[in-house]
Amino acid sequence: MLDPEELFTTSPDVPATDRPVLVHALSGFIDAGAAGQLLRDHLLESLEHQLVATFDIDQLLDYRSRRPPMIFDGNHWESYDEPSLLLHALRDGDGRTFLLLEGAEPDVQWERFIAAVRLLVERFAVPLTIGVHGIPMGVPHSRPTTVTAHGTRPELTAGREPWVGRIQVPGSVINLMEYRLGQAGHDAMGFAVHVPHYLSQSEYPDAAAALVDQVAAASGLSLPTSSLRIAAAETRRQIDEQVAASTEVAAVVKALEDQYDAYVGGSGRGDLLAGRGGGFPTADELGAELERYLADRAKGDQPD
């Protein structure tokens, strides 16, 4: 393997850190409701941050698979949405430093990239790595947002029942990173927030707020959510208006609500809030739905 350290450049003025948690939110494969993207943007906009390392995206991205957009205006090219893969140091509400890895998921050199991340994990003595993203589910927007947790040790997800059994899905860097870090003896975990499937292609702030809450609970970080919750309330209002305007859509949402409520009532849990609940509605149904979704996304990743 080529030297993984050559994949990134460390900033000259890296801030001092004390065993910082590493959060990663990479775009490019699956992120229903733009949940991970919204979390990333929210944290960078809300918290003081400083660039720590820049990855050589030219070695990692398949431009034909994901062509970066350019703006043409009349007779000239005005702009280019340049892809990036960056590591930042952020300070939470209590002044505690943590790391955020964000940008485009690598298309190639996955093992080398993960080896580079492992170098950074060991260099900064990272005690826990947390990945976040959204997945589409058959859940209604009018009920509490649920989250699936997974980790390299059972203790990391203690108290959370699995929502699905054994399934096979296309691989991704974020999941392979967790797997490889676990093999190397590092604690790593992830949160997949459940986004109503009829909203998976739209921004869904509720999902991002749920992810922030989960990251905070797992890491002990003090992270803000007020702006996300304001956006979530407005989004729900707009969705409710659209649902009310269509008898057909309202019937679909009502069916999902009935299914959700039947599961909660039958389980005796009282709710399906992340951290308290388990599967919904059955492992086989959700596994099949996720497999279909990921298979479709994998086909779409093929170059022209």
Side-chain angles (χ1 to χ4, degrees):
M1 181 189 296
L2 297 174
D3 185 357
E5 194 160 9
E6 294 180 358
L7 271 183
F8 64 89
T9 301
T10 306
S11 300
D13 54 347
V14 174
T17 59
D18 181 17
R19 292 177 56 79
V21 169
L22 170 61
V23 179
H24 57 89
L26 305 182
S27 60
F29 182 49
I30 175 173
D31 189 26
Q37 176 184 323
L38 288 172
L39 173 143
R40 173 201 70 193
D41 294 345
H42 169 71
L43 293 181
L44 290 174
E45 291 169 2
S46 303
L47 301 175
E48 174 188 343
H49 60 276
Q50 184 176 346
L51 185 65
V52 171
T54 303
F55 282 83
D56 185 355
I57 196 68
D58 225 30
Q59 295 193 54
L60 299 170
L61 198 66
D62 178 356
Y63 290 90
R64 291 186 61 208
S65 175
R66 286 183 283 166
R67 298 178 185 271
M70 300 179 66
I71 299 297
F72 183 78
D73 187 5
N75 59 3
H76 67 283
W77 292 104
E78 183 177 276
S79 66
Y80 169 57
D81 190 2
E82 186 173 352
S84 63
L85 188 50
L86 307 172
L87 181 67
H88 308 270
L90 291 79
R91 290 192 179 276
D92 74 352
D94 296 329
R96 180 181 172 187
T97 299
F98 68 100
L99 302 174
L100 174 65
L101 176 62
E102 56 88 13
E105 179 198 35
D107 293 309
V108 296
Q109 300 193 61
W110 282 12
E111 296 287 5
R112 187 182 178 207
F113 168 71
I114 292 169
V117 173
R118 179 182 168 188
L119 284 176
L120 290 165
V121 164
E122 294 170 350
R123 180 175 301 178
F124 289 100
V126 171
L128 177 65
T129 301
I130 306 174
V132 295
H133 67 290
I135 56 175
M137 298 284 280
V139 294
H141 71 279
S142 51
R143 295 295 185 268
T145 302
T146 55
V147 178
T148 289
H150 44 83
T152 54
R153 293 188 297 114
E155 294 80 1
L156 295 174
T157 57
R160 302 170 183 274
E161 297 181 20
W163 63 272
V164 70
R166 182 183 180 90
I167 61 172
Q168 177 177 301
V169 299
S172 67
V173 163
I174 59 174
N175 293 328
L176 181 59
M177 188 190 310
E178 179 181 313
Y179 179 67
R180 292 293 189 225
L181 286 174
Q183 288 181 319
H186 297 289
D187 279 353
M189 65 185 306
F191 294 109
V193 63
H194 306 161
V195 177
H197 61 80
Y198 51 90
L199 300 173
S200 62
Q201 301 302 314
S202 306
E203 290 189 353
Y204 192 55
D206 241 328
L211 287 178
V212 173
D213 285 343
Q214 293 303 310
V215 170
S219 64
L221 293 169
S222 176
L223 303 176
T225 58
S226 57
S227 62
L228 284 174
R229 297 197 185 284
I230 292 172
E234 174 60 20
T235 299
R236 283 195 301 273
R237 183 191 66 77
Q238 295 176 4
I239 296 169
D240 287 340
E241 288 182 354
Q242 295 175 22
V243 170
S246 170
T247 303
E248 181 179 343
V249 173
V252 171
V253 173
K254 180 62 166 58
L256 290 173
E257 291 174 339
D258 291 344
Q259 184 172 268
Y260 183 106
D261 294 340
Y263 173 81
V264 173
S267 68
R269 292 188 179 97
D271 63 40
L272 277 173
L273 287 173
R276 303 184 192 178
F280 172 86
T282 70
D284 290 342
E285 291 170 346
L286 297 183
E289 181 175 341
L290 181 57
E291 284 180 314
R292 285 194 300 271
Y293 180 84
L294 292 179
D296 289 343
R297 291 299 300 270
K299 293 176 184 177
D301 281 347
Q302 300 303 314
D304 298 344

